[in-house]
Amino acid sequence: MCRVIAVANQKGGVGKTTTCVNLGIGLARAGKKVLLVEADAQGSMAVSLGIAEPDELDVTLVNIMEKVINDEDAELGEGIIHHEEGIDFIPANIELAGLETALVNVMSRETILRQYLNSIKGEYDFAIIDCMPSLGMITINALVAADSVLIPVEAAYLPVKGLQQLIKTIGRVHRKLNPALDIMGILLTKVDRRTNFARDISAQIREVYGNRVHIFENCIPLSVKAAETTAEGKSIYLHDPKGIVAGGYHSLTQEVLADEK
């Protein structure tokens, strides 16, 4: 049975795309069939997976969702790209921003992505959705389609401050649109272990949210190697396999797999 995970935070730059790519490829390395879905008009995930110009792609998530809106059948595998590291992915580009506006007048507009994923998720063990840094209609679609939400949070003051709004939005979606939705956990990212500030922020998150939201045991350390993977079009496992970031994502993958048992 496929588990759908939305990686969400309305704050940009907290490591959502890096987490999607490296968790997905980590799960694939563990023998799982994985689909990554880019629900972000910036196209960062496509670039991270080696697509130099996402805006020039013929088929993206926009085309697939438009078919669902128009009650047209998408061919099995349409728009899905296979990556050399063993995962499949559906890219997005700037056209997704226009679709968000168009969804306002669509019947059952919050369920479009779920309708599509329900048609193909029998082919996969995991589907991981990379959400855009907003709480707009495309992100709501991702939350409605998901079983769980993974929340990457940078170990800094402002990203932590925005957590409450995201958790409230997830709660509203759970109550009104997707009663099966839960929060898988908060993942601390870009943690500079050398500073007291990062340690204080980490402790604060555990103190404020630890009683009601799972906090992943392992964090993702701050490292320039993680940023370099985007330019390489490959995962941290190939770019810096023995580094601290690869170790962090390997530990996250093991926690996610353990949660399945």
Side-chain angles (χ1 to χ4, degrees):
M1 185 174 177
C2 181
R3 183 171 187 183
V4 182
I5 302 169
V7 179
N9 193 327
Q10 76 272 26
K11 177 75 174 66
V14 298
K16 289 189 294 294
T17 299
T18 303
T19 296
C20 275
V21 168
N22 290 297
L23 173 59
I25 290 175
L27 290 167
R29 289 163 66 92
K32 301 297 182 180
K33 292 191 71 177
V34 180
L35 174 70
L36 302 185
V37 180
E38 183 168 30
D40 186 351
Q42 296 176 88
S44 300
M45 190 178 81
V47 173
S48 297
L49 292 168
I51 305 295
E53 298 291 342
D55 291 344
E56 296 178 6
L57 290 168
D58 292 329
V59 181
T60 66
L61 183 64
V62 170
N63 307 98
I64 292 166
M65 290 182 70
E66 284 176 341
K67 285 196 171 185
V68 176
I69 291 167
N70 296 322
D71 286 327
E72 299 173 10
D73 292 328
E75 295 179 22
L76 189 65
E78 183 177 355
I80 295 175
I81 299 171
H82 186 72
H83 190 266
E84 61 182 358
E85 292 186 68
I87 53 102
D88 289 344
F89 70 98
I90 301 174
N93 57 27
I94 194 63
E95 293 177 1
L96 194 64
L99 181 66
E100 179 144 37
T101 304
L103 278 172
V104 172
N105 299 314
V106 172
M107 186 180 295
S108 302
R109 58 185 179 270
E110 301 95 348
T111 69
I112 303 302
L113 183 55
R114 180 171 68 186
Q115 291 176 55
Y116 170 67
L117 287 180
N118 283 347
S119 73
I120 63 163
K121 67 183 189 180
E123 305 292 317
Y124 297 96
D125 299 309
F126 288 90
I128 305 176
I129 307 171
D130 184 17
C131 298
M132 65 173 65
S134 79
L135 296 177
M137 188 50 61
I138 298 294
T139 298
I140 298 300
N141 261 261
L143 296 177
V144 171
D147 302 305
S148 308
V149 188
L150 190 159
I151 307 173
V153 178
E154 183 182 353
Y157 176 68
L158 286 176
V160 169
K161 195 168 175 58
L163 252 183
Q164 195 63 43
Q165 184 184 0
L166 175 61
I167 289 173
K168 283 182 180 177
T169 299
I170 293 168
R172 283 198 296 272
V173 171
H174 170 81
R175 290 190 302 275
K176 297 182 178 181
L177 297 166
N178 181 7
L181 183 67
D182 63 30
I183 297 176
M184 174 184 278
I186 294 171
L187 174 69
L188 290 166
T189 63
K190 300 184 179 180
V191 178
D192 188 344
R193 292 168 170 167
R194 301 166 299 177
T195 67
N196 290 330
F197 178 69
R199 286 193 290 271
D200 290 346
I201 290 289
S202 300
Q204 179 186 340
I205 289 176
R206 293 183 189 281
E207 181 181 338
V208 174
Y209 297 102
N211 290 333
R212 52 199 175 107
V213 179
H214 173 68
I215 313 289
F216 284 102
E217 197 65 35
N218 292 280
C219 62
I220 306 302
L222 179 69
S223 171
V224 70
K225 294 292 185 183
E228 290 172 354
T229 58
T230 299
E232 294 285 331
K234 61 179 68 169
S235 75
I236 195 69
Y237 301 107
L238 287 186
H239 182 70
D240 187 30
K242 295 183 178 179
I244 55 174
V245 177
Y249 279 115
H250 175 73
S251 296
L252 172 65
T253 301
Q254 295 308 307
E255 279 196 70
V256 171
L257 288 170
D259 192 46
E260 294 298 296
K261 295 175 183 177

